[in-house]
Amino acid sequence: MTNEYGGDPENVVVVGGGIIGLASAYYLEQRGADVTVLEKSSIGAGNTGRANGGIRAQFTSPVSSALSKESIEVWESFDEQFGVDIKYRRPGYLFLARTESTAEQFRENVAKQNEQDIPSRFVTPQEAKELCPGLYHEEFVGGTYCPIDGIADPHLALQGFSDAARESGAEIRTKTKVVDVLQNGSGEVTGVETEAETIPADFVVNAAGAWAKQVGKMVDIDLPVDPKRRKLMVVDPEEPVSEDVPFTVDSDHGFHFRPERKGAAVAGGHFSDADPEEDPDDFSTSTSIDWAAEVIERGAEVASYFGPETRVNQGWAGLYAVTPDHHPILEETIPGFINAVGFSGHGFMQSPATGQIVAEIVTNGSPSLVDVSSLTADRFANGGHLREGTVID
Ligand SMILES: Cc1cc2nc3c(=O)[nH]c(=O)nc-3n(C[C@H](O)[C@H](O)[C@H](O)COP(=O)(O)OP(=O)(O)OC[C@H]3O[C@@H](n4cnc5c(N)ncnc54)[C@H](O)[C@@H]3O)c2cc1C
């Protein structure tokens, strides 16, 4: 088999069977590469299976907005393209400001987003209440709303990418842990070692999510990607949350919620100053009663859906893979070694664009879909920190 340019296909090993690894595998196969995905556990066993499913274009950094915008193009037609109904719906995201200074920042965000053709808009408290009928709108001075923002099911999307990657020719091996990445004397990648064998490769993609640092160490790179615990819970609110209520974020207090099915909601927030780096192989995936009580208390300051009668159905914790500026590292860091890591709370939504970019790097040498030249691993040492003002914890 040859690649799309008639040459030998590039041999690619993808480390990690989450949404980033499988989207990359699919788009790599589409561009003629020969792909093996190695997953130490099972598909989706990492943090893709714990995501909230949010998909938004409302970011303040141009590169994040662009990654999301390109991804939304894929999410919009995912069902037809991949034959899987991912329950994609677009109630929008509503960010709320309690202070004038936050509102001022919001106005600047909207201006920047509109420059990128993202149809966000500033809304008054009254307009916010029309979008979110239970809102205590008098607590807020304004908000931003974007109608192309929405929600989908991460499990179903992962299944879509996984099936399509396999059907396109990718080999997906579960229960296969990569223990080393091999390089020649010039530092170029030559393959990987699993616990059982050596697999040759022209390119290795680090799509190991919260384990990214461990895989980086295999080629002596110290990746600043820290696993940080984030929690969510499904609640039966005091009054049903209709499915057209936006994913609503109290930006000044950190609480957020979104509609789930049948009047339920998914709510969360990270309220503590303490935010230790976690061990991705040994952290608590459950939530505490204290945290759940705080979420409901904060929710009760936002909307009439939350209060003492709110019933918690299910809670869980997962890991954000966080870089110091909440932007990913997306580049060929050393010859043949591509990092697609550090997506914080955005890796699910940005996986379609990321997969395409990884495929472009391998088959073209450089990406063209989005200018990701700012997403280097060495930006932190070189003063190239990016800024993002809409991080949702
Ligand atoms: C509570 C919570 C809510 C979130 N909400 C959202 C949201 O609303 N929207 C959004 O876009 N994102 C959200 N995220 C973030 C999102 O889940 C991640 O950014 C995304 O899933 C990352 O995908 P990934 O493929 O990089 O990582 P993962 O899904 O974690 O996959 C990495 C895989 O690599 C495997 N692996 C690791 N090391 C090795 C090795 N040595 N050999 C072989 N395999 C290995 C792991 O087993 C794992 O399966 C949320 C995250 C959390 C925790």
Side-chain angles (χ1 to χ4, degrees):
M1 196 185 151
T2 58
N3 67 14
E4 62 179 336
Y5 307 107
D8 284 340
E10 292 82 2
N11 238 318
V12 187
V13 164
V14 175
V15 186
I19 196 94
I20 297 291
L22 287 160
S24 300
Y26 169 71
Y27 288 111
L28 279 161
E29 284 288 345
Q30 292 304 302
R31 294 179 76 95
D34 208 342
V35 185
T36 307
V37 178
L38 303 177
E39 164 54 53
K40 70 183 173 66
S41 179
S42 53
I43 297 304
N47 288 289
T48 300
R50 301 182 184 122
N52 201 356
I55 295 171
R56 63 181 162 111
Q58 283 191 82
F59 283 91
T60 63
S61 102
V63 66
S64 287
S65 296
L67 285 171
S68 275
K69 204 170 153 239
E70 291 297 337
S71 295
I72 287 171
E73 299 248 324
V74 176
W75 294 127
E76 278 172 339
S77 58
F78 197 93
D79 295 12
E80 298 100 84
Q81 199 185 338
F82 294 88
V84 179
D85 175 5
I86 58 169
K87 313 286 177 213
Y88 183 44
R89 55 212 156 99
R90 302 219 284 205
Y93 266 56
L94 175 65
F95 286 91
L96 296 163
R98 288 178 181 269
T99 66
E100 280 304 336
S101 71
T102 305
E104 197 40 48
Q105 187 60 58
F106 277 14
R107 286 192 180 86
E108 287 172 25
N109 298 348
V110 165
K112 277 196 222 156
Q113 289 154 4
N114 291 172
E115 272 171 29
Q116 286 184 273
D117 291 331
I118 292 165
S120 58
R121 61 176 194 265
F122 190 85
V123 292
T124 63
Q126 189 56 46
E127 286 165 337
K129 189 172 176 66
E130 282 158 26
L131 294 161
C132 177
L135 189 71
Y136 296 133
H137 65 293
E138 57 288 345
E139 298 296 319
F140 299 95
V141 298
T144 64
Y145 175 72
C146 179
I148 65 166
D149 293 346
I151 306 157
D153 185 321
H155 297 90
L156 295 170
L158 186 62
Q159 187 196 320
F161 275 130
S162 167
D163 291 350
R166 201 178 273 117
E167 279 158 23
S168 310
E171 187 184 346
I172 301 173
R173 295 195 210 168
T174 55
K175 310 246 174 303
T176 307
K177 183 173 179 178
V178 171
V179 293
D180 204 2
V181 175
L182 307 171
Q183 294 168 271
N184 64 18
S186 319
E188 292 157 353
V189 161
T190 57
V192 298
E193 228 169 74
T194 70
E195 284 162 323
E197 61 179 322
T198 298
I199 302 176
D202 305 314
F203 288 88
V204 171
V205 179
N206 180 2
W211 294 262
K213 211 180 234 180
Q214 297 177 5
V215 178
K217 273 196 186 129
M218 297 174 193
V219 286
D220 294 324
I221 302 174
D222 185 14
L223 290 172
V225 179
D226 292 342
K228 300 285 175 89
R229 203 161 155 265
R230 293 293 179 267
K231 293 161 273 185
L232 291 170
M233 62 186 190
V234 181
V235 298
D236 277 337
E238 307 216 335
E239 50 193 77
V241 177
S242 142
E243 283 184 31
D244 53 11
V245 166
F247 192 129
T248 301
V249 185
D250 179 353
S251 294
D252 289 309
H253 285 180
F255 166 82
H256 54 83
F257 76 99
R258 67 157 177 89
E260 183 54 351
R261 303 272 153 189
K262 297 182 181 156
V266 181
H270 176 77
F271 314 118
S272 164
D273 288 339
D275 198 9
E277 186 177 341
E278 300 281 343
D279 176 351
D281 294 311
D282 184 20
F283 72 99
S284 165
T285 56
S286 57
T287 57
S288 68
I289 292 172
D290 286 352
W291 175 79
E294 185 163 9
V295 172
I296 291 169
E297 255 171 52
R298 288 184 185 240
E301 293 165 1
V302 173
S304 55
Y305 308 119
F306 306 98
E309 300 302 317
T310 303
R311 215 183 71 209
V312 178
N313 279 332
Q314 188 198 352
W316 68 92
L319 297 175
Y320 276 17
V322 182
T323 64
D325 63 7
H326 299 274
H327 285 72
I329 295 166
L330 183 49
E331 62 160 359
E332 185 175 359
T333 306
I334 60 171
F337 188 81
I338 296 170
N339 278 304
V341 299
F343 284 86
S344 263
H346 322 136
F348 165 63
M349 66 181 84
Q350 294 176 347
S351 59
T354 302
Q356 292 175 66
I357 288 166
V358 167
E360 285 183 329
I361 294 173
V362 167
T363 58
N364 271 359
S366 62
S368 60
L369 185 74
V370 171
D371 178 2
V372 292
S373 55
S374 57
L375 302 180
T376 57
D378 65 5
R379 67 181 183 270
F380 307 105
N382 298 336
H385 277 63
L386 299 162
R387 286 176 63 84
E388 177 50 57
T390 61
V391 173
I392 300 176
D393 283 326

